[in-house]
Amino acid sequence: MGVLKFLVWTACAVGLGVFLARGNVDGRSPLEHIERTWKRTVNPSSMDKMKDGFEDALDDARQAVSQKSANPAQPRERITAEDRAAINNIIAKKK
């Protein structure tokens, strides 16, 4: 009876391990969900904090790009008149 009980518990533990490693819940395995929760609540490293900040910034950028406005803003000119004159002089000298 003891051997049968051991085999049943072992099979249940192996089945739970396979589910935790291979199951799919919201696009991630349950083990990945547990690891993320553990890292965020118990010992968040500075790298994880920076990564979360980067992901938030990336999401904000995606939202900004996906929003279409009726009158898109024209690109801002970054070259001053003096710089443009200097470039034109350089081009004129080469010809």
Side-chain angles (χ1 to χ4, degrees):
M1 185 69 174
V3 173
L4 183 61
K5 192 185 224 183
F6 172 75
L7 290 175
V8 168
W9 279 108
T10 302
C12 289
V14 169
L16 178 64
V18 169
F19 172 72
L20 288 176
R22 299 233 174 195
N24 191 3
V25 178
D26 292 333
R28 293 190 178 96
S29 70
L31 188 59
E32 289 173 341
H33 284 289
I34 293 169
E35 287 175 350
R36 287 183 66 171
T37 304
W38 179 266
K39 287 180 181 179
R40 286 182 180 171
T41 58
V42 176
N43 189 13
S45 67
S46 60
M47 184 61 83
D48 288 336
K49 290 178 186 175
M50 188 169 36
K51 181 177 148 189
D52 290 339
F54 175 74
E55 288 174 351
D56 292 339
L58 188 62
D59 290 338
D60 292 342
R62 283 185 182 151
Q63 284 179 346
V65 169
S66 67
Q67 293 175 352
K68 296 180 180 176
S69 62
N71 296 325
Q74 296 294 327
R76 198 173 72 215
E77 186 69 34
R78 295 184 183 142
I79 300 174
T80 63
E82 295 168 351
D83 293 338
R84 187 172 301 280
I87 291 171
N88 288 338
N89 286 338
I90 292 171
I91 293 172
K93 286 179 185 177
K94 284 193 172 187
K95 288 183 179 181

